[in-house]
Amino acid sequence: MSETGKKVILSGSTVTGDLTLGNYIGAINNWKKLQEDYNCHYFIADLHALTVAQDPLALRERCFSFFAQYLALGLDPNKNTIFVQSQMPEHAELAWILTCLTPMGNLNRMTQFKEKSANTKNINAGLFTYPVLMAADILLYQADMVPVGDDQRQHMELCRDIVVWFENRYGEGHLKMPDAFIGKSGARIMALQDPTKKMSKSDENDKNFVSIIDSPKKILKKIKSAQTDSDTVVTYDPEKKAGLANLLTIYSVLGEKSVEDICKDYEGKMYGHLKADLADLVVETLKPVQENYTDLMKNKDHLEDLMALGASKARVRASQTLKMVYEITGLIPRRS
Ligand code: TYM
């Protein structure tokens, strides 16, 4: 609970590629809804992005772009604390302390580490300890709830384990045990060309995802060429018709309509009709977002001001937690 009496929410996205419909539907759409009633902290995880090699100039540009996309998607910097992870050194400080409590065996079992390291030649230690930094992001703000997509479930479990290891070493009641908040619908949007894997912003095949800032032409092309099956009847069957089920889920969340109602609307119609209408819906949903985004990107100074505002708001909770952690772990807290 925060000073305002509101529960604390924290979530973020790693600055790689561009935000996709998966990120929007699985996470940011929920962040937006929560901003009215909770004390929300949303950040862009640029330190996490460094776990894979980044071109420095491109990384900085992408940080501005992600920040602008958060705002354009409807996150209000006055209602929320919106900030850049690396502008808050407290994250890395707490991460180190938590790293010293986390057994290597648990990190070895992380499926995202296994997947990512299988595709990388030089596996760095940051890729391995990535979930501990994520736990620090959450615990630093004593967050009650963390709205994420389904793919972050295992990282959230590790974060909860870290709280227990911390309690075993230093006693109970210091760090808040956070809960994952995973939406019922759209928690795992699948890749358009391969509905057996999740839509990912770092996918090498850009036909697999729709990015928030894709042009209408691109969106139309990507959705029209999405993989479906050879049947023609529009029914929701994630096992046998995974590609179609994925399109129906996207339709249902963006159109705020149940999957059953959508299937009824397409009785006697072909998949092509559904794809064309879905493409229109995505384009229409993203149109105001893209206009807003283009405007915001014209004024980087303004974005930097908002980043500084976010960091100064974030520092209030972060410095309190870190001071408490320094005290109980035997480190000497800095004078403020
Ligand atoms: P990231 O950047 O991969 O994704 C950001 C959010 O989008 C969700 N998401 C999806 N949801 C549904 N379908 C998909 N295809 C899909 N792809 C992504 C993710 O679950 C996530 O909620 N490690 C995190 C970033 C992070 C973080 C944190 C999150 C760093 N520290 C602390 C929460 C709390 C990540 O890489 O998310």
Side-chain angles (χ1 to χ4, degrees), residues 10-16 19-28 31 43 45 48 66 70 85 91 112 116 130 133-138 146-153 155-156 186-191 197-201:
L10 177 125
S11 202
S13 180
T14 303
V15 191
T16 44
L19 288 170
T20 67
L21 267 189
N23 299 125
Y24 178 62
I25 293 173
I28 299 172
W31 301 359
F43 72 102
H48 279 97
F66 264 54
Y70 275 17
Q85 186 185 31
H91 289 238
Q112 283 209 357
K116 284 188 186 166
Y130 177 113
L133 178 57
M134 179 163 160
D137 300 334
I138 297 165
V146 184
V148 282
D150 183 61
D151 61 329
Q152 299 299 319
R153 206 179 277 274
H155 288 159
M156 284 305 302
R188 184 172 283 261
I189 298 298
M190 309 310 278
K197 63 175 195 181
K198 71 160 189 174
M199 181 181 284
S200 163
K201 53 180 143 62

Side-chain angles (χ1 to χ4, degrees), residues 1 33 69 90 96 114 160 163 192 195 267 304 306 310:
M1 206 69 86
K33 292 179 190 153
Q69 287 177 59
E90 292 88 343
W96 175 253
K114 286 189 204 161
R160 291 170 59 86
V163 175
L192 295 176
E267 264 171 20
E304 273 196 72
L306 291 177

